[in-house]
Amino acid sequence: LISMIVDGKTLTFTLEDFRESLTQQIVSQFNSLDNEYFQGFFKDDNVFKENVSSITIDKDDVTSIFKQNELPGRRTFSWPFTRQSEDILNSENSIEIRQSNSLIIDFEDNSFKLNYGLMSRSGDSIEMKNNLSIDDRMRQVNENSTIPFKMIHNFFNEGILDTLLSSKNVYLPAERIGINTFRKVLLEQQIQTVGRLNDSNQIKNLEKLVDYPRPINSYLAFTSSMLNEDSKREIDKTLQQHIQKLIPGHFEYDENSDSVFFNLRDGQSHLSFKLLSSSLKSLYGLEHFIEVSDYGDALFIDEPEMNLHPEGQITVMELLYGLVKYGKNRVVLSTHSDYLIKKLINLLLKDQKLKIPENPDVSIYMFKNGSATRINDITSEGGDGTMNFDSSSILLNEEYYSLMD
């Protein structure tokens, strides 16, 4: 398949067939991951135990991460290969690239076309045969590079997956306040670890030498990469109102000091991040996800109610619900907040009464006594949707009235 594309042949698939094939491959490969992978993911042998723990996915899990919004007419991914070592030059199963190259993905009449465009120099730019130009200052043409199939394969996979799947999946961990506050210290620690490595085998195993679990590393990378990232979309007015109610200002990054500051809406107050309340620190990643995410991107968030006043907890639920309803994002959250759950019930009931056609699809699970149980209808009167929280409130009320008697 790769050879055919590189040879200049255009391959055309129906989107339905290609997604079906891609889904099967993702499910098969994920469910074949071994114990070593998950232990490396969690960085703790006690979290995932061989022959005891199991994490699998099915077809519906993959289908849910396909982009739901309209796909672009054309996506172009350019990668100029660089000759780095004799090992690459002498590799078997390789392709000789005489010029810089580009994977071109076209969508037309529900079809999916893969093409491979060669590029040539033209003045101050690199021009492809399809007349798309790419700034030469960002990339260099590397002639007569011999590239292993595996590198080409990865390049094609990344381009295809970036086009079809939600590209930004952000996890806001419970440790986010500490990560937000000590971002520079954590990054410097990683840099120092790399600087001490002088053995090639150590460098290959760098991920194992960094002790943070992958979700923590992922959030650290997100908070660093988003610092100079511009907003990608126009934020819905309803979402904007919830944000302004929850966050009385805006986080800003100062590149000179490599520091984050908070500007109040009066335009005059400029506060250092370390002086902010813990509730504002916990919302830093959420605000930036809303600003830089695209439609269909997914947000995973632990304890959105963290350090928030009950009124703030209600507002953050309105905001997360709005991300799904208006922003067309997907949200997965875990919570211990009675306020969040009851506000969610009210939001669902309100939309049901208004008979809104695009009501958010919500699935709720209760984790208790080592098991997870799906709650089919959390809005039903007398259901068990809130009993996990209500039982504690009932006991407290009973205790209070017995003391008052």
Side-chain angles (χ1 to χ4, degrees):
L1 179 65
I2 292 175
S3 297
M4 291 173 65
I5 298 174
V6 173
D7 284 342
K9 296 180 174 63
T10 299
L11 303 185
T12 303
F13 313 87
T14 66
L15 270 175
E16 183 178 356
D17 289 343
F18 196 88
R19 281 174 168 164
E20 179 65 28
S21 175
L22 184 61
T23 297
Q24 292 176 2
Q25 291 183 55
I26 292 174
V27 171
S28 175
Q29 291 180 25
F30 185 92
N31 291 340
S32 299
L33 293 172
D34 57 17
N35 184 64
E36 183 180 358
Y37 171 84
F38 288 107
Q39 287 186 346
F41 183 94
F42 293 111
K43 301 293 183 186
D44 191 327
D45 295 345
N46 295 315
V47 174
F48 192 93
K49 296 184 178 181
E50 192 170 8
N51 301 323
V52 176
S53 306
S54 175
I55 300 177
T56 60
I57 62 173
D58 58 25
K59 180 180 177 180
D60 291 339
D61 293 320
V62 179
T63 302
S64 68
I65 63 174
F66 280 112
K67 287 184 176 177
Q68 302 302 315
N69 56 308
E70 185 177 348
L71 292 167
R74 164 168 285 182
R75 293 289 301 276
T76 304
F77 300 88
S78 177
W79 183 28
F81 298 99
T82 304
R83 211 181 289 178
Q84 295 180 343
S85 70
E86 292 301 317
D87 292 337
I88 291 181
L89 284 174
N90 298 327
S91 293
E92 295 180 359
N93 299 322
S94 61
I95 295 175
E96 185 173 340
I97 305 298
R98 297 185 182 279
Q99 293 173 298
S100 285
N101 50 79
S102 180
L103 173 65
I104 305 166
I105 300 178
D106 284 315
F107 295 94
E108 186 176 313
D109 298 329
N110 218 24
S111 65
F112 178 71
K113 296 182 181 180
L114 295 177
N115 196 5
Y116 190 69
L118 295 180
M119 300 181 292
S120 60
R121 284 189 183 276
S122 177
D124 292 330
S125 66
I126 297 175
E127 190 170 314
M128 297 193 302
K129 289 182 179 179
N130 58 16
N131 295 322
L132 292 179
S133 62
I134 297 175
D135 194 338
D136 191 29
R137 291 174 299 177
M138 301 295 293
R139 302 170 176 89
Q140 295 178 347
V141 174
N142 302 290
E143 297 181 353
N144 300 320
S145 295
T146 303
I147 309 303
F149 264 120
K150 185 175 181 180
M151 293 177 70
I152 297 281
H153 183 268
N154 290 339
F155 171 52
F156 279 26
N157 274 347
E158 288 173 4
I160 293 169
L161 293 177
D162 185 68
T163 302
L164 295 179
L165 304 183
S166 297
S167 56
K168 191 184 294 297
N169 299 311
V170 175
Y171 171 55
L172 306 186
E175 299 87 349
R176 59 186 175 273
I177 293 179
I179 297 173
N180 293 339
T181 305
F182 301 106
R183 175 187 58 85
K184 288 199 293 184
V185 175
L186 294 171
L187 288 174
E188 288 170 1
Q189 188 178 49
Q190 288 187 335
I191 293 170
Q192 289 172 4
T193 300
V194 175
R196 289 194 296 267
L197 302 181
N198 51 23
D199 183 89
S200 59
N201 290 326
Q202 285 184 311
I203 294 174
K204 289 179 181 178
N205 295 318
L206 176 60
E207 187 176 336
K208 294 181 180 180
L209 295 175
V210 179
D211 293 329
Y212 314 136
R214 186 171 298 181
I216 302 299
N217 272 329
S218 176
Y219 180 69
L220 184 58
F222 170 67
T223 57
S224 300
S225 63
M226 72 183 183
L227 293 173
N228 286 316
E229 196 169 354
D230 295 327
S231 179
K232 285 187 176 180
R233 66 178 180 189
E234 184 177 346
I235 300 174
D236 179 87
K237 289 183 179 179
T238 304
L239 284 180
Q240 192 69 258
Q241 290 172 0
H242 294 322
I243 295 171
Q244 291 175 358
K245 185 177 178 182
L246 194 63
I247 304 173
H250 183 68
F251 295 99
E252 289 191 4
Y253 173 67
D254 180 67
E255 190 171 1
N256 293 327
S257 62
D258 187 22
S259 300
V260 176
F261 293 89
F262 187 76
N263 290 329
L264 292 174
R265 290 202 190 96
D266 60 15
Q268 298 177 356
S269 302
H270 187 67
L271 302 175
S272 170
F273 189 88
K274 62 185 179 183
L275 297 179
L276 299 179
S277 66
S278 56
S279 58
L280 276 177
K281 288 176 180 175
S282 72
L283 296 169
Y284 171 57
L286 177 58
E287 184 198 56
H288 278 281
F289 171 82
I290 295 170
E291 290 182 340
V292 304
S293 65
D294 204 351
Y295 298 110
D297 290 344
L299 173 69
F300 299 79
I301 179 169
D302 266 339
E303 314 292 347
E305 71 272 14
M306 187 184 297
N307 297 324
L308 294 179
H309 184 276
E311 184 178 345
Q313 295 182 41
I314 293 171
T315 303
V316 81
M317 186 70 253
E318 291 175 324
L319 177 58
L320 295 174
Y321 188 82
L323 276 176
V324 179
K325 184 177 178 179
Y326 305 109
K328 305 304 179 186
N329 291 107
R330 290 171 296 118
V331 176
V332 179
L333 66 89
S334 65
T335 182
H336 292 94
S337 171
D338 185 30
Y339 298 103
L340 257 72
I341 295 298
K342 289 184 175 176
K343 184 59 184 179
L344 174 61
I345 292 172
N346 290 348
L347 289 167
L348 289 169
L349 286 172
K350 182 179 179 181
D351 280 352
Q352 288 174 13
K353 283 198 168 187
L354 294 174
K355 297 181 179 180
I356 295 177
E358 297 184 1
N359 208 18
D361 184 13
V362 178
S363 298
I364 299 175
Y365 295 83
M366 182 186 296
F367 291 81
K368 192 174 183 181
N369 299 326
S371 64
T373 305
R374 181 167 183 171
I375 301 172
N376 292 322
D377 184 6
I378 196 172
T379 63
S380 62
E381 189 174 357
D384 60 356
T386 60
M387 282 306 295
N388 195 29
F389 301 106
D390 286 347
S391 58
S392 299
S393 298
I394 291 170
L395 287 173
L396 284 173
N397 288 334
E398 289 177 349
E399 181 183 17
Y400 171 77
Y401 287 118
S402 67
L403 292 170
M404 293 295 292
D405 288 341

Short mmCIF file of all heavy atoms in Angstrom, two decimals, residues 18-19 50 58-59 68 78 80 90 93 97 129 148 187 198 209 214 256 270 287 325 332 337 339 342 355 367 370 393:
data_model
loop_
_atom_site.label_atom_id
_atom_site.label_comp_id
_atom_site.label_asym_id
_atom_site.label_seq_id
_atom_site.Cartn_x
_atom_site.Cartn_y
_atom_site.Cartn_z
N PHE A 18 -13.29 2.52 4.96
CA PHE A 18 -12.00 2.82 5.57
C PHE A 18 -12.12 2.92 7.09
O PHE A 18 -11.28 2.41 7.83
CB PHE A 18 -11.44 4.14 5.01
CG PHE A 18 -9.98 4.34 5.29
CD1 PHE A 18 -9.02 3.85 4.42
CD2 PHE A 18 -9.56 4.99 6.43
CE1 PHE A 18 -7.68 4.01 4.68
CE2 PHE A 18 -8.22 5.16 6.71
CZ PHE A 18 -7.27 4.67 5.82
N ARG A 19 -13.20 3.55 7.57
CA ARG A 19 -13.41 3.65 9.01
C ARG A 19 -13.62 2.28 9.63
O ARG A 19 -13.15 2.00 10.74
CB ARG A 19 -14.61 4.55 9.29
CG ARG A 19 -14.29 6.05 9.18
CD ARG A 19 -15.53 6.87 9.33
NE ARG A 19 -15.22 8.29 9.52
CZ ARG A 19 -16.08 9.27 9.36
NH1 ARG A 19 -17.33 8.99 9.01
NH2 ARG A 19 -15.72 10.52 9.57
N GLU A 50 -0.58 -8.31 36.26
CA GLU A 50 -0.70 -9.36 35.26
C GLU A 50 -1.64 -10.46 35.73
O GLU A 50 -1.63 -10.86 36.89
CB GLU A 50 0.69 -9.94 34.97
CG GLU A 50 0.72 -10.84 33.73
CD GLU A 50 2.14 -11.20 33.33
OE1 GLU A 50 3.08 -10.87 34.09
OE2 GLU A 50 2.30 -11.80 32.26
N ASP A 58 -13.81 -1.85 22.62
CA ASP A 58 -14.60 -2.49 21.58
C ASP A 58 -14.87 -1.50 20.44
O ASP A 58 -14.39 -0.37 20.46
CB ASP A 58 -15.92 -3.05 22.14
CG ASP A 58 -16.78 -1.98 22.79
OD1 ASP A 58 -16.65 -0.78 22.43
OD2 ASP A 58 -17.59 -2.33 23.68
N LYS A 59 -15.62 -1.95 19.48
CA LYS A 59 -15.87 -1.14 18.28
C LYS A 59 -16.51 0.20 18.62
O LYS A 59 -16.15 1.23 18.05
CB LYS A 59 -16.77 -1.93 17.33
CG LYS A 59 -17.12 -1.21 16.05
CD LYS A 59 -18.02 -2.07 15.17
CE LYS A 59 -18.43 -1.31 13.90
NZ LYS A 59 -19.30 -2.13 13.03
N GLN A 68 -16.88 14.06 14.28
CA GLN A 68 -18.28 14.09 13.89
C GLN A 68 -18.60 15.28 12.99
O GLN A 68 -19.60 15.27 12.29
CB GLN A 68 -19.16 14.15 15.15
CG GLN A 68 -18.95 12.98 16.09
CD GLN A 68 -19.22 11.65 15.45
OE1 GLN A 68 -20.21 11.48 14.74
NE2 GLN A 68 -18.34 10.67 15.67
N SER A 78 3.28 17.59 5.39
CA SER A 78 4.62 17.59 4.80
C SER A 78 5.65 17.15 5.82
O SER A 78 5.64 17.60 6.96
CB SER A 78 4.96 19.00 4.29
OG SER A 78 6.26 19.02 3.78
N PRO A 80 9.85 16.58 5.54
CA PRO A 80 11.14 16.40 4.85
C PRO A 80 12.02 15.48 5.69
O PRO A 80 12.33 15.78 6.82
CB PRO A 80 11.71 17.82 4.80
CG PRO A 80 11.12 18.48 5.98
CD PRO A 80 9.77 17.86 6.23
N ASN A 90 21.43 2.60 5.37
CA ASN A 90 21.67 1.22 4.96
C ASN A 90 20.55 0.27 5.36
O ASN A 90 20.70 -0.94 5.27
CB ASN A 90 22.98 0.73 5.57
CG ASN A 90 24.16 1.55 5.06
OD1 ASN A 90 24.15 2.00 3.92
ND2 ASN A 90 25.17 1.74 5.91
N ASN A 93 14.30 -2.75 3.57
CA ASN A 93 12.89 -2.34 3.51
C ASN A 93 12.77 -0.82 3.56
O ASN A 93 12.10 -0.26 4.42
CB ASN A 93 12.09 -2.95 4.67
CG ASN A 93 12.09 -4.46 4.62
OD1 ASN A 93 12.03 -5.03 3.54
ND2 ASN A 93 12.19 -5.09 5.77
N ILE A 97 13.83 8.63 -1.28
CA ILE A 97 13.09 9.87 -1.52
C ILE A 97 14.03 10.87 -2.18
O ILE A 97 15.01 11.29 -1.59
CB ILE A 97 12.56 10.45 -0.19
CG1 ILE A 97 11.74 9.40 0.56
CG2 ILE A 97 11.72 11.69 -0.45
CD1 ILE A 97 10.52 8.93 -0.17
N LYS A 129 3.33 19.52 -6.80
CA LYS A 129 2.74 19.38 -8.12
C LYS A 129 1.30 19.86 -8.17
O LYS A 129 0.79 20.22 -9.21
CB LYS A 129 2.83 17.92 -8.57
CG LYS A 129 4.25 17.48 -8.91
CD LYS A 129 4.28 16.05 -9.40
CE LYS A 129 5.69 15.63 -9.76
NZ LYS A 129 5.75 14.22 -10.23
N PRO A 148 13.45 4.24 5.87
CA PRO A 148 12.86 2.94 6.17
C PRO A 148 11.34 2.97 6.04
O PRO A 148 10.70 3.98 6.31
CB PRO A 148 13.27 2.70 7.64
CG PRO A 148 14.44 3.59 7.86
CD PRO A 148 14.22 4.78 6.98
N LEU A 187 9.45 20.50 34.53
CA LEU A 187 10.11 20.44 33.21
C LEU A 187 11.62 20.47 33.36
O LEU A 187 12.34 19.75 32.67
CB LEU A 187 9.63 21.60 32.34
CG LEU A 187 8.20 21.50 31.82
CD1 LEU A 187 7.80 22.79 31.10
CD2 LEU A 187 8.05 20.31 30.88
N ASN A 198 24.13 9.55 29.04
CA ASN A 198 25.20 9.52 28.04
C ASN A 198 25.27 8.16 27.35
O ASN A 198 26.17 7.90 26.56
CB ASN A 198 26.56 9.84 28.68
CG ASN A 198 26.82 8.98 29.91
OD1 ASN A 198 26.25 7.90 30.06
ND2 ASN A 198 27.68 9.47 30.79
N LEU A 209 12.57 6.14 32.47
CA LEU A 209 13.36 6.81 33.49
C LEU A 209 12.61 7.99 34.11
O LEU A 209 12.92 8.41 35.22
CB LEU A 209 14.68 7.32 32.87
CG LEU A 209 15.64 6.23 32.37
CD1 LEU A 209 16.83 6.88 31.67
CD2 LEU A 209 16.11 5.35 33.51
N ARG A 214 1.95 8.27 32.51
CA ARG A 214 1.75 8.92 31.22
C ARG A 214 0.68 10.00 31.25
O ARG A 214 0.84 11.06 30.62
CB ARG A 214 1.42 7.88 30.14
CG ARG A 214 1.35 8.49 28.75
CD ARG A 214 1.24 7.44 27.68
NE ARG A 214 2.40 6.57 27.65
CZ ARG A 214 2.55 5.57 26.78
NH1 ARG A 214 1.61 5.34 25.89
NH2 ARG A 214 3.62 4.81 26.82
N ASN A 256 8.86 36.12 28.14
CA ASN A 256 10.16 36.58 28.66
C ASN A 256 10.49 35.96 30.01
O ASN A 256 11.64 35.57 30.27
CB ASN A 256 10.16 38.10 28.78
CG ASN A 256 10.10 38.78 27.43
OD1 ASN A 256 10.63 38.26 26.44
ND2 ASN A 256 9.44 39.92 27.35
N HIS A 270 -2.93 42.55 37.73
CA HIS A 270 -2.07 41.58 37.05
C HIS A 270 -1.41 40.73 38.14
O HIS A 270 -0.47 41.16 38.79
CB HIS A 270 -1.02 42.35 36.23
CG HIS A 270 -0.17 41.50 35.34
ND1 HIS A 270 -0.68 40.83 34.24
CD2 HIS A 270 1.15 41.22 35.39
CE1 HIS A 270 0.30 40.18 33.65
NE2 HIS A 270 1.41 40.39 34.32
N GLU A 287 -9.79 26.29 31.10
CA GLU A 287 -9.98 27.48 30.27
C GLU A 287 -9.23 27.35 28.95
O GLU A 287 -9.77 27.65 27.88
CB GLU A 287 -9.51 28.75 31.01
CG GLU A 287 -9.79 30.01 30.20
CD GLU A 287 -8.97 31.21 30.65
OE1 GLU A 287 -7.73 31.12 30.69
OE2 GLU A 287 -9.59 32.23 30.94
N LYS A 325 -23.04 20.24 24.50
CA LYS A 325 -24.25 20.71 23.81
C LYS A 325 -23.95 21.74 22.73
O LYS A 325 -24.47 21.65 21.61
CB LYS A 325 -25.21 21.30 24.84
CG LYS A 325 -26.54 21.75 24.27
CD LYS A 325 -27.46 22.23 25.39
CE LYS A 325 -28.79 22.73 24.85
NZ LYS A 325 -29.70 23.17 25.94
N VAL A 332 -15.52 13.39 29.58
CA VAL A 332 -15.56 12.27 30.52
C VAL A 332 -15.08 12.81 31.86
O VAL A 332 -13.98 13.38 31.95
CB VAL A 332 -14.64 11.11 30.06
CG1 VAL A 332 -14.68 9.97 31.08
CG2 VAL A 332 -15.05 10.61 28.68
N SER A 337 -19.16 14.98 43.78
CA SER A 337 -19.96 16.15 44.13
C SER A 337 -21.45 15.91 43.92
O SER A 337 -21.91 15.64 42.80
CB SER A 337 -19.52 17.36 43.31
OG SER A 337 -20.42 18.44 43.49
N TYR A 339 -23.55 18.28 44.16
CA TYR A 339 -24.02 19.44 43.41
C TYR A 339 -23.90 19.20 41.90
O TYR A 339 -24.80 19.56 41.13
CB TYR A 339 -23.23 20.69 43.80
CG TYR A 339 -23.37 21.07 45.25
CD1 TYR A 339 -22.35 20.80 46.16
CD2 TYR A 339 -24.52 21.69 45.71
CE1 TYR A 339 -22.48 21.15 47.50
CE2 TYR A 339 -24.66 22.05 47.05
CZ TYR A 339 -23.63 21.76 47.94
OH TYR A 339 -23.78 22.10 49.26
N LYS A 342 -26.65 16.60 40.74
CA LYS A 342 -28.02 17.14 40.74
C LYS A 342 -28.20 18.23 39.70
O LYS A 342 -29.28 18.36 39.11
CB LYS A 342 -28.38 17.64 42.14
CG LYS A 342 -28.56 16.47 43.11
CD LYS A 342 -29.01 16.91 44.49
CE LYS A 342 -29.30 15.67 45.36
NZ LYS A 342 -29.65 16.01 46.74
N LYS A 355 -37.77 19.65 24.63
CA LYS A 355 -37.74 18.77 23.45
C LYS A 355 -36.68 19.22 22.45
O LYS A 355 -36.95 19.33 21.24
CB LYS A 355 -39.12 18.70 22.80
CG LYS A 355 -40.18 18.09 23.71
CD LYS A 355 -41.53 18.01 23.01
CE LYS A 355 -42.57 17.37 23.95
NZ LYS A 355 -43.91 17.28 23.32
N PHE A 367 -19.42 3.85 40.58
CA PHE A 367 -18.33 2.98 41.01
C PHE A 367 -18.46 2.77 42.52
O PHE A 367 -18.35 3.71 43.29
CB PHE A 367 -16.98 3.61 40.67
CG PHE A 367 -16.70 3.65 39.19
CD1 PHE A 367 -17.24 4.65 38.40
CD2 PHE A 367 -15.92 2.68 38.59
CE1 PHE A 367 -17.00 4.70 37.03
CE2 PHE A 367 -15.67 2.71 37.23
CZ PHE A 367 -16.21 3.72 36.45
N GLY A 370 -15.91 -1.94 44.38
CA GLY A 370 -15.06 -2.62 43.41
C GLY A 370 -15.71 -2.93 42.08
O GLY A 370 -15.16 -3.71 41.29
N SER A 393 -26.35 12.35 52.94
CA SER A 393 -27.14 13.52 53.33
C SER A 393 -28.29 13.12 54.24
O SER A 393 -28.58 13.81 55.23
CB SER A 393 -27.69 14.22 52.08
OG SER A 393 -26.64 14.69 51.26
#
